[in-house]
Amino acid sequence: MRRARATQKREPTIALINIVFLMLVFFMVAGTLAQPLDGDLDLVRTADLEGRAPPDTLVVHADGRLSYRGETQASATAYVATLSEEERKTIRLVPDRELPAQTLVDLTRELRGQGAERVLVVTERGLQ
């Protein structure tokens, strides 16, 4: 007599795992939330800080040049003058890694003097 073959039951979890990974890849590719920053910008590195994605930020280049949404700004004072009362409450800065610290401090002081309640510095870890 022959022995009856035991039929193998395939677990349906493999298909579920495949679907979850496909969804993960889809959302990683399609999930751009913030506008890309200037390509020649080299961001500052920090560790263990709470960060937020920069929706609208003032970019400070290594040479001290300011830009907002790709347009060059004459000065911090001129930039703040274009903002509404609500936008002046919190200003986000994205400094280049090569920007001297004293320039960043002076710029922050100027923004605070023009009515900014909070000045947040966006760093590389904050964007991840």
Side-chain angles (χ1 to χ4, degrees), residues 53-71:
D56 292 319
T57 59
L58 179 63
V59 177
V60 187
H61 298 270
D63 58 0
R65 181 172 41 98
L66 302 174
S67 64
Y68 178 70
R69 293 185 178 176
E71 296 179 14

Side-chain angles (χ1 to χ4, degrees), residues 13-117:
T13 58
I14 298 297
L16 181 62
I17 291 171
N18 288 339
I19 291 171
V20 169
F21 279 121
L22 285 173
M23 289 174 55
L24 176 67
V25 169
F26 171 78
F27 286 114
M28 285 175 35
V29 171
T32 301
L33 298 176
Q35 295 177 350
L37 299 173
D38 293 341
D40 61 341
L41 189 66
D42 197 12
L43 297 176
V44 177
R45 293 180 194 221
T46 59
D48 301 326
L49 291 178
E50 179 184 334
R52 295 182 186 149
D56 292 319
T57 59
L58 179 63
V59 177
V60 187
H61 298 270
D63 58 0
R65 181 172 41 98
L66 302 174
S67 64
Y68 178 70
R69 293 185 178 176
E71 296 179 14
T72 302
Q73 300 294 311
S75 67
T77 305
Y79 167 71
V80 172
T82 64
L83 300 177
S84 68
E85 281 293 321
E86 186 65 30
E87 291 172 325
R88 285 184 191 166
K89 288 184 179 180
T90 302
I91 295 178
R92 290 177 175 82
L93 286 177
V94 178
D96 190 282
R97 182 177 291 140
E98 301 300 321
L99 182 72
Q102 188 60 48
T103 304
L104 182 60
V105 169
D106 293 342
L107 178 61
T108 304
R109 188 174 293 134
E110 184 180 353
L111 289 169
R112 294 291 303 257
Q114 294 299 318
E117 294 179 18

Side-chain angles (χ1 to χ4, degrees), residues 115-127:
E117 294 179 18
R118 293 175 56 194
V119 178
L120 303 176
V121 177
V122 179
T123 61
E124 190 169 40
R125 186 168 190 283
L127 293 176

